[in-house]
Amino acid sequence: MKKIVAGVFLTIFLLAGTFSALAAGSSTKTAPRIVSVSGNGADISVSWTVPEWSGLDSYEVQLGRTNENGTSFRAVKTARTDSSETVYDFTATQRGYYTARVRARDVDGKDTAWSGNGTVVVVNSEDVSGGGGPFHTDSSRGPGVKRSEGAANGSENGGPGVSGAYSSSAAGETRRRVRVNTYTANGWQSDNVGRWYLFPDGSYPVNCWEKLDGKFYHFDGSGYMEWNRWVKESDGSWRFCVASGEMAVGWNDISGKWYYMEPANGVMLGGGEHAIGGRLYYMNAGGDRVQSAWAGGHYYGSDGARA
C-alpha cells in the first residue's frame, strides 16, 4: 500500500514539474489585436493594438495568403518591429486574397499566441504588373517626386515668424497628371509617402488648397496632403492644416499656444486685440494668444480673455 501511495505522489510530482516547464517556456500574456488591414494596389498596411501588459520587447507581423472569407492563412512575408511600432507596410508580389496577423514578444523572449486574422484585401493582376503605383516608367510611387529631407508633410516646423513653411502661392502649376492612370477608383489615394487626391481626368492638386467633401485641404509641391503644418499664403497670411489634414478654423492649440483662425476662410488673426465671441483677446505679433499677462494696458486671464 505504501508503495502505491508513494508511486501516486511521484507521478503527481513529475506531472507538476512538466506543466511548470511548459508554462515557463511559453507566454500566457494576451496577444495584440489587429486593428486594420488595408490595401492600396499591391501595398498592404497592417496596424494593431498595444498589449496591456508590461515588458513588451517587439512584434512579429505576418502577411498571408487566404481565401475570400479569410478563414485560412499561409504566411508569405514575415517582419519584426520594435515595441514602438504598431503599423507595418508590406508589398504583395502576386495577385490574390491577403490578410495579416501579429504576435508580441516580451523581454524574456516569450511570444504570445498569434492574433486573429485581419480583414481580407484583394490584390489584382494590374496591381502587381509594372511595379505598381501610378508611375510605371520609374521607381517612384505616388503622384510626384518624394519631398526632400526636412520637408515632411507631418511637421509643425515653420509657422508665423519662422521660415520653412510651405506656401500656397499659385505662382506655378496647381495641377499635374499621373503618367499612366492604372487606378481602379478616383478620390483619395495613399502610398508610402502620404495621401493625395486623384481626379477623374487623371490629374491631382499641387501647391494649392482644394475643397473636397465640403472641407479644405492643402497639397504640397509634390501633391501630397499636408497635416500638422503651417501654410504661408502669397499675401503673407497664415493658415494651418490639422492632424486630419483639414484647414483649421476657430480656436486651435498648436504646440502649446492658442491661435484663432477665421471661421469663414481659415486665416489666422494677427497681432493686437480682437473681439471673438463677445469677449476681447490679445494676440502677440506671431498670432498666439496672450494669457495671464498684461498687454496694451489691459490684463488678460488664463483663458486669454480681457479681465
Side-chain angles (χ1 to χ4, degrees):
M1 181 65 179
K2 290 182 180 179
K3 290 183 179 181
I4 294 174
V5 172
V8 170
F9 277 113
L10 179 60
T11 301
I12 293 173
F13 178 78
L14 290 174
L15 287 173
T18 300
F19 290 139
S20 297
L22 288 172
S26 62
S27 173
T28 58
K29 295 176 178 177
T30 57
R33 178 175 58 83
I34 292 289
V35 172
S36 69
V37 180
S38 57
N40 179 37
D43 298 325
I44 300 173
S45 182
V46 185
S47 65
W48 57 89
T49 60
V50 177
E52 296 182 354
W53 42 264
S54 60
L56 176 65
D57 181 71
S58 60
Y59 299 101
E60 185 177 12
V61 57
Q62 285 187 338
L63 179 70
R65 299 289 294 270
T66 186
N67 53 34
E68 185 176 3
N69 299 319
T71 56
S72 62
F73 191 92
R74 180 171 64 84
V76 293
K77 291 189 177 184
T78 301
R80 184 165 293 279
T81 72
D82 61 40
S83 60
S84 65
E85 300 291 333
T86 56
V87 177
Y88 194 86
D89 296 326
F90 291 100
T91 299
T93 57
Q94 295 181 326
R95 67 183 182 182
Y97 297 103
Y98 288 86
T99 186
R101 64 184 186 180
V102 64
R103 65 181 177 182
R105 174 172 294 180
D106 64 21
V107 292
D108 290 327
K110 299 175 184 176
D111 293 322
T112 67
W114 286 104
S115 68
N117 293 350
T119 53
V120 177
V121 297
V122 180
V123 175
N124 299 314
S125 297
E126 63 181 7
D127 297 326
V128 292
S129 62
F135 291 175
H136 289 252
T137 55
D138 59 27
S139 59
S140 62
R141 298 229 177 207
V145 179
K146 294 180 182 179
R147 60 179 57 82
S148 59
E149 285 190 32
N153 63 347
S155 170
E156 292 179 4
N157 295 335
V162 181
S163 62
Y166 285 104
S167 171
S168 65
S169 172
E173 60 182 340
T174 58
R175 286 284 189 279
R176 291 182 193 158
R177 286 182 176 274
V178 293
R179 297 180 187 174
V180 180
N181 190 356
T182 61
Y183 287 86
T184 57
N186 304 314
W188 287 106
Q189 312 290 331
S190 297
D191 59 25
N192 59 339
V193 178
R195 298 188 71 202
W196 56 286
Y197 195 88
L198 179 67
F199 291 109
D201 65 355
S203 66
Y204 55 91
V206 295
N207 290 321
C208 68
W209 290 96
E210 195 70 43
K211 189 175 184 180
L212 303 168
D213 303 321
K215 298 174 182 178
F216 283 93
Y217 299 84
H218 190 261
F219 296 86
D220 69 10
S222 295
Y224 288 100
M225 182 196 80
E226 301 194 82
W227 52 280
N228 281 351
R229 188 72 174 176
W230 284 103
V231 178
K232 187 176 183 180
E233 308 292 1
S234 57
D235 62 1
S237 63
W238 292 89
R239 292 186 172 95
F240 188 79
C241 304
V242 300
S244 60
E246 301 162 21
M247 182 177 70
V249 295
W251 286 111
N252 286 267
D253 182 352
I254 303 171
S255 299
K257 296 181 179 181
W258 284 94
Y259 299 82
Y260 189 82
M261 318 302 187
E262 291 280 12
N265 55 25
V267 172
M268 182 200 77
L269 291 184
E273 191 174 60
H274 302 274
I276 303 171
R279 306 186 73 181
L280 294 173
Y281 299 85
Y282 197 94
M283 311 300 185
N284 289 315
D288 55 304
R289 184 176 74 189
V290 171
Q291 296 180 185
S292 301
W294 290 86
H298 300 282
Y299 185 80
Y300 298 85
S302 59
D303 63 352
R306 190 208 281 188

